[in-house]
Amino acid sequence: MIVIPQTFRGIAFIGIFMMIASIGFTRMNSKEKTEYISLKGKIIYLDKTMGTLPTRDKGIYRYLIIDSYQFPFEIYADEQAKIVDSLAVGDHITVYFYETGNTHSEKLNRYLQFLEKDGIIYFKRTGFQRTMGFIMIGMSLGLVLFGYALWKTNKIGY
């Protein structure tokens, strides 16, 4: 059972926590290409599946392993699938990405931001994550303001 705080302080705490997490998420997905970790390597695996992955939306994901990085990359390629599929095992590429704790625990990197070959971008992360981050920031702020309004109208305690 989830306990919902019935005080302004509880609502404000949750809203501020969500806002801070959303700001961090937005910042990680809004950087310039040169601000991410970059590695050059040779493709040693590229396919639509890898083991039991994907567990959802088969055909949209691509799995990429390069010789210079310890984890495979999961790429949500939706509209960019054709250009990603034009790459081949043995191609030398540059990847731009970041890691989180999940990368190491899952042994899978889901945070590839750019993939290029010979200076040509073959994959660029869409702006969906950034947009979602801004939406979450707005919703968090709205939650705090809603809690404040409830407190001011004596619907909840401080």
Side-chain angles (χ1 to χ4, degrees), residues 82-102:
K82 284 185 181 181
I83 193 159
V84 171
D85 290 343
S86 69
L87 294 167
V89 171
D91 286 349
H92 290 274
I93 61 170
T94 304
V95 291
Y96 300 85
F97 61 95
Y98 67 92
E99 294 180 338
T100 66
N102 286 348

Side-chain angles (χ1 to χ4, degrees), residues 53-65:
L53 296 172
T55 56
R56 64 207 181 284
D57 297 328
K58 293 187 186 295
I60 293 177
Y61 291 91
R62 300 296 182 268
Y63 295 90
L64 170 75
I65 300 175

Side-chain angles (χ1 to χ4, degrees), residues 20-88:
I20 291 168
S22 299
I23 289 169
F25 178 77
T26 303
R27 288 187 69 221
M28 286 305 294
N29 288 288
S30 300
K31 295 179 179 181
E32 294 296 319
K33 180 172 69 171
T34 56
E35 296 177 85
Y36 291 108
I37 300 168
S38 72
L39 286 175
K40 294 181 182 209
K42 183 171 72 171
I43 297 174
I44 57 176
Y45 182 85
L46 177 63
D47 204 348
K48 293 179 182 180
T49 60
M50 187 180 71
T52 60
L53 296 172
T55 56
R56 64 207 181 284
D57 297 328
K58 293 187 186 295
I60 293 177
Y61 291 91
R62 300 296 182 268
Y63 295 90
L64 170 75
I65 300 175
I66 61 173
D67 62 356
S68 58
Y69 187 59
Q70 61 186 340
F71 303 120
F73 290 99
E74 181 180 72
I75 304 169
Y76 182 77
D78 199 11
E79 286 133 22
Q80 301 175 69
K82 284 185 181 181
I83 193 159
V84 171
D85 290 343
S86 69
L87 294 167

Side-chain angles (χ1 to χ4, degrees), residues 126-144:
T126 62
F128 175 77
Q129 288 82 4
R130 183 173 178 225
T131 303
M132 184 54 123
F134 284 129
I135 290 170
M136 290 303 296
I137 291 168
M139 289 176 63
S140 302
L141 182 60
L143 178 65
V144 172

